Amino acid sequence: MDIVKKPFRLLFILAGLLSLGLGIIGIVLPVIPTTPLLLLASYCFMRGSKKFEAWFIESWLYKKHLEGFVKKREMTLKQKLSVLLFADCMIAIPFIMTDSWALRAGLAAVVLYKYYYFFTKIKTVG
């Protein structure tokens, strides 16, 4: 793994804490996607601090929402739909704002591919 310089490690830790906080809020509010934010928090902690990474991996949040995906490449249908619909909303913004049919076709291809990937390459459980 790359050695991240100290100021950047602090930024990764702060981004991880922000993502973690938003992910926790997402457990209660269905409009905020829990799983993608917790994945981002995990990545940020991994890049920022071994201590934060170890703490997060031992937390109930990680075990409940991410462990199955990380270890077995499996997700619940609810987790898949949460990730996919959040990504669709983010892709919809440039899709609506652009006049380029080529860009719209590219974005539509991305949407189709991510659904294909999630439902054929990631196992659906419980």
Side-chain angles (χ1 to χ4, degrees), residues 15-84:
L17 291 171
L18 178 64
S19 298
L20 176 63
L22 290 172
I24 291 170
I25 292 170
I27 294 170
V28 180
L29 296 175
V31 295
I32 299 175
T34 302
T35 305
L37 288 167
L38 294 179
L39 282 170
L40 178 60
S42 179
Y43 174 79
C44 290
F45 289 148
M46 177 188 72
R47 296 297 307 252
S49 165
K50 292 287 184 193
K51 289 181 184 179
F52 273 101
E53 179 186 15
W55 166 78
F56 186 61
I57 288 173
E58 292 300 317
S59 73
W60 66 273
L61 280 169
Y62 180 87
K63 291 181 186 307
K64 181 178 180 183
H65 295 280
L66 299 178
E67 190 170 50
F69 176 73
V70 172
K71 290 187 177 179
K72 302 175 191 169
R73 298 203 40 89
E74 63 186 24
M75 298 174 90
T76 65
L77 182 60
K78 182 179 177 183
Q79 288 174 322
K80 284 183 178 184
L81 292 176
S82 173
V83 171
L84 290 168

